[in-house]
Amino acid sequence: MNAVGRESPTRGLAIQAQPIERDAAHLLDALEAGVLILSRDLRVEYANARWSIWLGSSISAGVAFISLVRENGAFVQDELRAALADGETRNLHLNLIGGRDNAPRHVSCCVRVAGDGLVIEAHADADDEHAAMHDTARRLGEVTDMVEVLRTLCDIAIQQCGASAAAVLRVVDHQGEVVAAAGDLLPALGHCFPLEGSLLEKAISEQVIVSENHFRDSGRPLMRAVPELSLGPVILAPLHAHGETLGVLAVARGVSAKPFRAREIDRLRMLADHAALAVHKSMLLMQAQSADRAKGRFLATMSHELRTPLTALAGYNELLCDQVIGPVSDPQLDILERMRSVTMHLSAMIEEILSFTNLEEGRELVRPSEFLVADLVRASIAVVQPMADQKKLTLEVVLPKTPVRITSDIDKSRQILVNLLGNALKFTDAGGVRVVVRKTGDDVRIDVTDTGIGIAEEELARLFRPFAQVDTGLTRRHGGTGLGLYISRRLVTLLGGHIEVNSQQGAGSTFSVIFPVAWEARS
Ligand code: ADP
């Protein structure tokens, strides 16, 4: 205004001052800098729009300036008073309250005396951009589900680009599709539109940011597909990660709103770059999850299919062994015995896989009954005794003097114990296995101790993961699915208990199962 007055003192003011005064507020609001006028008592008389954006809400005239500052209020007040007193210009760094997500907003201010009061001209610190991107990374990092990632991305884009609408568009089956939307673009969610002539096609094929200032009147395919959209300026940035274009991120404003400025377009570009990685990660996760589900379904079907013929094989084998069909010679009996042992081993593996798929699908239910722990141990020992005999290992049981009667699921507890005993015998070549039962308070504790190969400390944490085996080489000595401990842990959790392991490489292991004597359904 002064410049106009100096160039043409009378005519300039007469002709140009009027429109400038009328538009002064708009002009000040359009500045990237924050402009704020303070009265002598350090209360706000005027603040342009930039300050409201920084603070996340409009500022009422008369509020104390220090109430806008997050910390060091007393110091700031002293500095402002000093500026008023000596008339010197001062530079201050302030940390403002409020703002997006209450994230700290740093501004550098230049404080000058003007008339009775002060003028504060402020610029967002460069690290404000970093703060915005940090915020983006944090918010996107908190979500993994694709729908959530895309919705969060739209919300962030609206906030960071000063938009009223945002959407993620993708090419699906040679068409454009709005796969996520927020704000004024919500009516477009789920809609498909032809690619030809669309901004989506342009952004993807040219790999650039594209824009349209009057989208409602543009006749673009999306506008034709969703005529109720009331959008003015629109910009789209490609979401590009690992050599793949995943879609575009679009932001928009209302019909009569101002076009996006260079800074906001830059923001969108940065946001899209950042977000593309999060979208890519989420896509990989989705693929992995669906592969996992497919694997689970395959395992379940395959095990079912294998179980039926195996049961038949075991049955025929038994008929032959029992010599029901006719007499068999000793060498033939020996072969039949071996066949039986192999069939039983296969059956056990299949049962393990079935247990695994049942647990994964939440189909395992606890069926409580009352029984003696001694009976549980006896039944489990009976299953593994042949293995101990074959390997010439001792199998010792120590029971408490007073019989322990419990209410739990006998089948599940036997499955756990048989698995721990089976492992103990499998990984022991000399010595033996000892089972000690104790009642501790309201729990029963069964320790299975072996004199086997033991487990290195760094391996202990991953033992209970599905398919985890210490020895995974092709030349591994011990068979198994790597599911036993995982299943055991899941089952004991269903029974309200847990498993503990103590082991030393080369010196043997103790696996302990601890579960309540009285099982109670969890509400
Ligand atoms: P599997 O025995 O079918 O391989 P598990 O889940 O029962 O699967 O056991 C996982 C791994 O933990 C085994 O492969 C083995 O490396 C280790 N492990 C389990 N029990 C013992 C044990 N008593 N002694 C030594 N290693 C063991």
Side-chain angles (χ1 to χ4, degrees), residues 352 419 423-424 426-427 450 453-455 463 468-471 479-486 509 511:
E352 209 157 68
N419 179 50
N423 277 347
K426 183 159 76 172
F427 297 103
D450 63 57
I453 59 174
I455 303 157
L463 283 189
Q469 295 181 317
V470 172
D471 179 10
T481 54
L483 284 174
L485 286 178
Y486 172 74
S509 318
F511 282 80

Short mmCIF file of all heavy atoms in Angstrom, two decimals, residues 352 419 423-424 426-427 450 453-455 463 468-471 479-486 509 511, ligand 1:
data_model
loop_
_atom_site.label_atom_id
_atom_site.label_comp_id
_atom_site.label_asym_id
_atom_site.label_seq_id
_atom_site.Cartn_x
_atom_site.Cartn_y
_atom_site.Cartn_z
N GLU A 352 -1.90 -84.03 13.79
CA GLU A 352 -1.25 -82.79 14.21
C GLU A 352 -1.65 -81.63 13.28
O GLU A 352 -1.99 -80.54 13.72
CB GLU A 352 0.26 -82.99 14.18
CG GLU A 352 0.98 -82.12 15.18
CD GLU A 352 2.34 -82.69 15.53
OE1 GLU A 352 3.21 -82.69 14.65
OE2 GLU A 352 2.54 -83.10 16.68
N ASN A 419 2.75 -85.12 23.33
CA ASN A 419 3.67 -84.36 22.49
C ASN A 419 4.98 -84.04 23.21
O ASN A 419 6.06 -84.22 22.66
CB ASN A 419 2.97 -83.08 22.01
CG ASN A 419 3.90 -82.26 21.16
OD1 ASN A 419 4.50 -82.78 20.24
ND2 ASN A 419 4.08 -81.01 21.51
N ASN A 423 8.58 -85.64 22.15
CA ASN A 423 9.75 -84.81 21.86
C ASN A 423 10.92 -85.21 22.74
O ASN A 423 12.06 -85.34 22.28
CB ASN A 423 9.45 -83.33 22.10
CG ASN A 423 8.76 -82.70 20.90
OD1 ASN A 423 8.72 -83.27 19.83
ND2 ASN A 423 8.24 -81.50 21.08
N ALA A 424 10.62 -85.38 24.05
CA ALA A 424 11.69 -85.72 25.00
C ALA A 424 12.40 -87.00 24.56
O ALA A 424 13.63 -87.08 24.56
CB ALA A 424 11.10 -85.89 26.40
N LYS A 426 12.27 -88.31 21.48
CA LYS A 426 12.84 -88.15 20.13
C LYS A 426 14.22 -87.49 20.19
O LYS A 426 15.13 -87.87 19.45
CB LYS A 426 11.87 -87.29 19.30
CG LYS A 426 12.28 -87.08 17.86
CD LYS A 426 11.09 -86.70 16.97
CE LYS A 426 10.66 -85.26 17.13
NZ LYS A 426 9.65 -84.87 16.14
N PHE A 427 14.37 -86.51 21.08
CA PHE A 427 15.63 -85.76 21.11
C PHE A 427 16.60 -86.26 22.19
O PHE A 427 17.47 -85.54 22.65
CB PHE A 427 15.35 -84.26 21.26
CG PHE A 427 14.58 -83.71 20.08
CD1 PHE A 427 13.23 -83.45 20.16
CD2 PHE A 427 15.22 -83.51 18.86
CE1 PHE A 427 12.52 -82.99 19.06
CE2 PHE A 427 14.52 -83.05 17.76
CZ PHE A 427 13.16 -82.79 17.85
N ASP A 450 14.23 -84.45 30.21
CA ASP A 450 14.97 -85.47 29.46
C ASP A 450 16.47 -85.23 29.60
O ASP A 450 16.91 -84.18 30.09
CB ASP A 450 14.55 -85.48 27.99
CG ASP A 450 14.86 -84.20 27.26
OD1 ASP A 450 16.03 -83.79 27.25
OD2 ASP A 450 13.93 -83.58 26.70
N ILE A 453 19.49 -83.76 23.82
CA ILE A 453 20.44 -82.84 23.18
C ILE A 453 20.33 -81.40 23.69
O ILE A 453 21.24 -80.60 23.48
CB ILE A 453 20.29 -82.85 21.64
CG1 ILE A 453 18.87 -82.46 21.22
CG2 ILE A 453 20.66 -84.19 21.06
CD1 ILE A 453 18.70 -82.30 19.70
N GLY A 454 19.18 -81.07 24.33
CA GLY A 454 19.01 -79.70 24.83
C GLY A 454 18.81 -78.70 23.70
O GLY A 454 18.89 -79.04 22.51
N ILE A 455 18.55 -77.45 24.09
CA ILE A 455 18.24 -76.42 23.10
C ILE A 455 19.05 -75.16 23.41
O ILE A 455 19.11 -74.74 24.58
CB ILE A 455 16.73 -76.08 23.13
CG1 ILE A 455 15.89 -77.35 22.90
CG2 ILE A 455 16.36 -75.03 22.10
CD1 ILE A 455 14.49 -77.28 23.43
N LEU A 463 10.73 -71.64 19.47
CA LEU A 463 10.28 -73.04 19.48
C LEU A 463 8.77 -73.18 19.33
O LEU A 463 8.28 -74.13 18.75
CB LEU A 463 10.65 -73.68 20.82
CG LEU A 463 12.08 -74.08 21.03
CD1 LEU A 463 12.19 -74.88 22.31
CD2 LEU A 463 12.56 -74.91 19.86
N ALA A 468 8.30 -74.35 13.51
CA ALA A 468 9.67 -74.03 13.94
C ALA A 468 10.40 -75.30 14.37
O ALA A 468 9.87 -76.11 15.12
CB ALA A 468 9.62 -73.05 15.11
N GLN A 469 11.58 -75.47 13.83
CA GLN A 469 12.43 -76.60 14.24
C GLN A 469 13.85 -76.07 14.37
O GLN A 469 14.27 -75.23 13.59
CB GLN A 469 12.39 -77.71 13.18
CG GLN A 469 10.98 -78.32 13.07
CD GLN A 469 10.90 -79.42 12.07
OE1 GLN A 469 11.44 -79.29 11.00
NE2 GLN A 469 10.20 -80.48 12.41
N VAL A 470 14.56 -76.58 15.39
CA VAL A 470 15.93 -76.10 15.60
C VAL A 470 16.80 -76.57 14.43
O VAL A 470 17.55 -75.82 13.84
CB VAL A 470 16.48 -76.63 16.94
CG1 VAL A 470 17.95 -76.31 17.07
CG2 VAL A 470 15.68 -76.05 18.10
N ASP A 471 16.63 -77.84 14.09
CA ASP A 471 17.44 -78.42 13.02
C ASP A 471 16.59 -78.43 11.75
O ASP A 471 15.69 -79.25 11.59
CB ASP A 471 17.82 -79.85 13.43
CG ASP A 471 18.65 -80.53 12.35
OD1 ASP A 471 19.07 -79.84 11.41
OD2 ASP A 471 18.86 -81.75 12.47
N GLY A 479 12.53 -86.42 12.49
CA GLY A 479 11.35 -86.05 11.70
C GLY A 479 10.44 -85.14 12.49
O GLY A 479 10.77 -84.69 13.58
N GLY A 480 9.26 -84.85 11.93
CA GLY A 480 8.29 -84.01 12.64
C GLY A 480 7.81 -82.86 11.78
O GLY A 480 8.42 -82.56 10.74
N THR A 481 6.73 -82.25 12.23
CA THR A 481 6.13 -81.17 11.44
C THR A 481 6.54 -79.80 11.95
O THR A 481 6.35 -78.80 11.26
CB THR A 481 4.60 -81.25 11.55
OG1 THR A 481 4.26 -81.25 12.93
CG2 THR A 481 4.05 -82.49 10.88
N GLY A 482 7.07 -79.74 13.16
CA GLY A 482 7.38 -78.43 13.75
C GLY A 482 6.11 -77.76 14.28
O GLY A 482 6.08 -76.56 14.54
N LEU A 483 5.04 -78.56 14.45
CA LEU A 483 3.77 -77.98 14.92
C LEU A 483 3.47 -78.36 16.37
O LEU A 483 2.64 -77.72 17.02
CB LEU A 483 2.62 -78.50 14.05
CG LEU A 483 2.49 -77.89 12.67
CD1 LEU A 483 1.41 -78.60 11.88
CD2 LEU A 483 2.18 -76.41 12.77
N GLY A 484 4.13 -79.42 16.86
CA GLY A 484 3.78 -79.97 18.16
C GLY A 484 3.75 -78.96 19.29
O GLY A 484 2.76 -78.84 20.01
N LEU A 485 4.82 -78.20 19.45
CA LEU A 485 4.89 -77.27 20.57
C LEU A 485 3.92 -76.11 20.38
O LEU A 485 3.31 -75.63 21.33
CB LEU A 485 6.32 -76.72 20.73
CG LEU A 485 7.32 -77.72 21.32
CD1 LEU A 485 8.71 -77.10 21.40
CD2 LEU A 485 6.87 -78.19 22.70
N TYR A 486 3.78 -75.67 19.14
CA TYR A 486 2.82 -74.59 18.85
C TYR A 486 1.41 -75.03 19.25
O TYR A 486 0.71 -74.32 19.96
CB TYR A 486 2.88 -74.23 17.36
CG TYR A 486 1.82 -73.26 16.92
CD1 TYR A 486 1.90 -71.92 17.27
CD2 TYR A 486 0.71 -73.70 16.19
CE1 TYR A 486 0.92 -71.03 16.87
CE2 TYR A 486 -0.27 -72.81 15.79
CZ TYR A 486 -0.17 -71.48 16.12
OH TYR A 486 -1.14 -70.61 15.74
N SER A 509 16.55 -81.09 28.60
CA SER A 509 15.53 -80.04 28.70
C SER A 509 14.44 -80.45 29.67
O SER A 509 14.22 -81.64 29.90
CB SER A 509 14.82 -79.84 27.35
OG SER A 509 15.73 -79.86 26.29
N PHE A 511 10.43 -79.48 29.92
CA PHE A 511 9.23 -78.76 29.47
C PHE A 511 8.18 -78.98 30.56
O PHE A 511 7.94 -80.11 30.97
CB PHE A 511 8.71 -79.31 28.13
CG PHE A 511 9.51 -78.84 26.96
CD1 PHE A 511 10.73 -79.43 26.64
CD2 PHE A 511 9.05 -77.79 26.16
CE1 PHE A 511 11.48 -78.98 25.55
CE2 PHE A 511 9.79 -77.34 25.07
CZ PHE A 511 11.01 -77.93 24.76
P1 ADP B 1 8.55 -81.32 15.85
O1 ADP B 1 8.99 -82.12 17.03
O2 ADP B 1 7.43 -81.93 15.11
O3 ADP B 1 9.68 -80.88 14.98
P2 ADP B 1 7.74 -79.39 17.86
O4 ADP B 1 6.97 -78.13 17.73
O5 ADP B 1 7.20 -80.43 18.78
O6 ADP B 1 7.91 -79.97 16.39
O7 ADP B 1 9.19 -79.02 18.29
C1 ADP B 1 9.85 -77.99 17.62
C2 ADP B 1 11.35 -78.11 17.75
O8 ADP B 1 11.74 -77.87 19.10
C3 ADP B 1 11.87 -79.50 17.43
O9 ADP B 1 12.05 -79.69 16.04
C4 ADP B 1 13.20 -79.48 18.17
O10 ADP B 1 14.16 -78.78 17.41
C5 ADP B 1 12.89 -78.65 19.41
N1 ADP B 1 12.55 -79.48 20.58
C6 ADP B 1 11.33 -79.75 21.08
N2 ADP B 1 11.40 -80.50 22.19
C7 ADP B 1 12.71 -80.76 22.40
C8 ADP B 1 13.45 -81.51 23.38
N3 ADP B 1 12.84 -82.14 24.40
N4 ADP B 1 14.79 -81.50 23.27
C9 ADP B 1 15.43 -80.86 22.28
N5 ADP B 1 14.79 -80.14 21.30
C10 ADP B 1 13.46 -80.10 21.37
#
